[in-house]
Amino acid sequence: GYAELRLPSGRCLSVIDVPGHERFVHTMVAGATGIDLYLMAIAADDGVMRQTREHATILRALGVDTGVIAITKEDRSDPASAVRAARELLPGSAVIPVSARTGHGLNDLTAALERAAAALPGRASAPGPTRLHIDRVFSIRGTGTVVTGTLWAGSLGRGEEVVILPAGHRARVRSVEVHGAARDSARAGQRVAVGLAGVDRDQVGRGDVLANPAAELVAGFRLDVQAGLPAGLHDGQRLIVHHGTRESRARAVWLGERIWQLRLESPMVACEGDHVVLRRIAPP
């Protein structure tokens, strides 16, 4: 799910609500890529669960280390135990007990989000070619093909030419919306819906990348990565690789000096400095 959250200061945050259940971790990863800060929800009566720990691991893998923890349902259970566990899991984050039913703590939560957002640099001026990793595709009568996603870098404006990778289809931006409001253009960091002319619905899919043709980005079947990789990873092991809204199975090849080459079964459009998430196939 997606929503706009306007803070008292006037700052507008784009909220991406991702599933918490461990069966849908791949969907969580697709939603979390491209975010700047997190709001982790932990129920006071359930506390930190297995999927909570996995989500924290994914945030670290994506380099997202700024955020706020909401201990929900504090009207139904003593939040003290969940607060302690949350602080151990994500040290340094503000931990705010709240109740959506009574409203208690929600003002404190808003203030914590204000502080967290203010501490981050603006993404709009971040360097890099225009890239939108597509998470939804649909058609609207009178508009045609529409794609949505988080704009990682650059800007998109009406009338601009774009390329859809990895297929390489060319299209023109017919319309731009940010949270349902029509705009002449959108900037990096915003949730964007883009109406496209010159491309059919079945020529675009979730996981594709909408980019500026001048950037000459290409899709590749090999990624060289340097990271803290899963314990027990061995040369030749098969993994699932997540990047943007795309995932692919791959084989990891040891190159030395903490560098592994991921040989992908499906191509990805990655740039230097991007983060990827690696998951074992078995055990999951």
Side-chain angles (χ1 to χ4, degrees):
Y2 311 94
E4 182 182 49
L5 175 61
R6 189 167 296 279
L7 300 175
S9 67
R11 182 190 298 270
C12 180
L13 303 183
S14 291
V15 180
I16 304 173
D17 176 29
V18 300
H21 197 282
E22 59 189 310
R23 290 174 54 193
F24 302 106
V25 167
H26 65 287
T27 306
M28 179 270 174
V29 177
T33 56
I35 67 171
D36 299 298
L37 63 103
Y38 60 83
L39 171 58
M40 179 78 82
I42 301 174
D45 51 354
D46 290 331
V48 170
M49 304 177 72
R50 174 180 171 180
Q51 57 264 35
T52 316
R53 298 187 183 279
E54 188 161 17
H55 286 195
T57 301
I58 290 167
L59 289 171
R60 285 191 288 269
L62 293 172
V64 182
D65 53 12
T66 300
V68 178
I69 303 172
I71 305 298
T72 63
K73 303 181 185 179
E74 62 92 33
D75 59 312
R76 294 179 56 180
S77 181
D78 184 352
S81 176
V83 167
R84 287 194 299 270
R87 286 176 174 157
E88 292 176 2
L89 181 65
L90 293 164
S93 301
V95 182
I96 314 294
V98 300
S99 169
R101 179 173 295 176
T102 68
H104 180 265
L106 295 182
N107 289 336
D108 293 337
L109 181 63
T110 301
L113 287 170
E114 286 270 22
R115 292 191 297 270
L120 293 169
R123 181 182 288 228
S125 59
T130 295
R131 284 189 293 165
L132 184 142
H133 290 261
I134 296 171
D135 51 38
R136 287 188 300 162
V137 184
F138 51 92
S139 297
I140 296 179
R141 180 172 294 180
T143 300
T145 302
V146 178
V147 302
T148 71
T150 302
L151 191 55
W152 276 28
S155 62
L156 279 173
R158 287 190 298 178
E160 292 183 5
E161 297 295 320
V162 294
V163 61
I164 298 164
L165 301 170
H169 299 303
R170 296 293 184 107
R172 179 177 56 84
V173 176
R174 176 178 283 166
S175 62
V176 176
E177 289 189 0
V178 178
H179 291 300
R183 302 284 181 87
D184 289 330
S185 63
R187 299 181 301 169
Q190 293 181 318
R191 284 290 311 174
V192 185
V194 184
L196 298 174
V199 65
D200 294 333
R201 163 67 183 83
D202 58 4
Q203 293 179 302
V204 191
R206 173 187 172 92
D208 288 349
V209 177
L210 189 151
N212 184 338
E216 297 183 339
L217 296 177
V218 295
F221 284 89
R222 295 191 180 190
L223 298 179
D224 293 342
V225 300
Q226 180 180 32
L229 299 177
L233 180 69
H234 57 79
D235 191 24
Q237 183 171 341
R238 288 174 54 77
L239 300 165
I240 298 175
V241 180
H242 298 265
H243 174 266
T245 53
R246 182 177 288 265
E247 63 181 88
S248 172
R249 296 197 174 203
R251 191 174 301 279
V253 178
W254 172 245
L255 300 182
E257 297 295 327
R258 296 186 63 216
I259 304 294
W260 294 78
Q261 185 171 89
L262 305 177
R263 299 182 178 176
L264 306 166
E265 294 181 6
S266 301
M268 290 184 171
V269 182
C271 291
E272 183 178 0
D274 284 357
H275 286 78
V276 297
V277 174
L278 308 181
R279 298 174 62 221
R280 292 188 188 91
I281 295 175

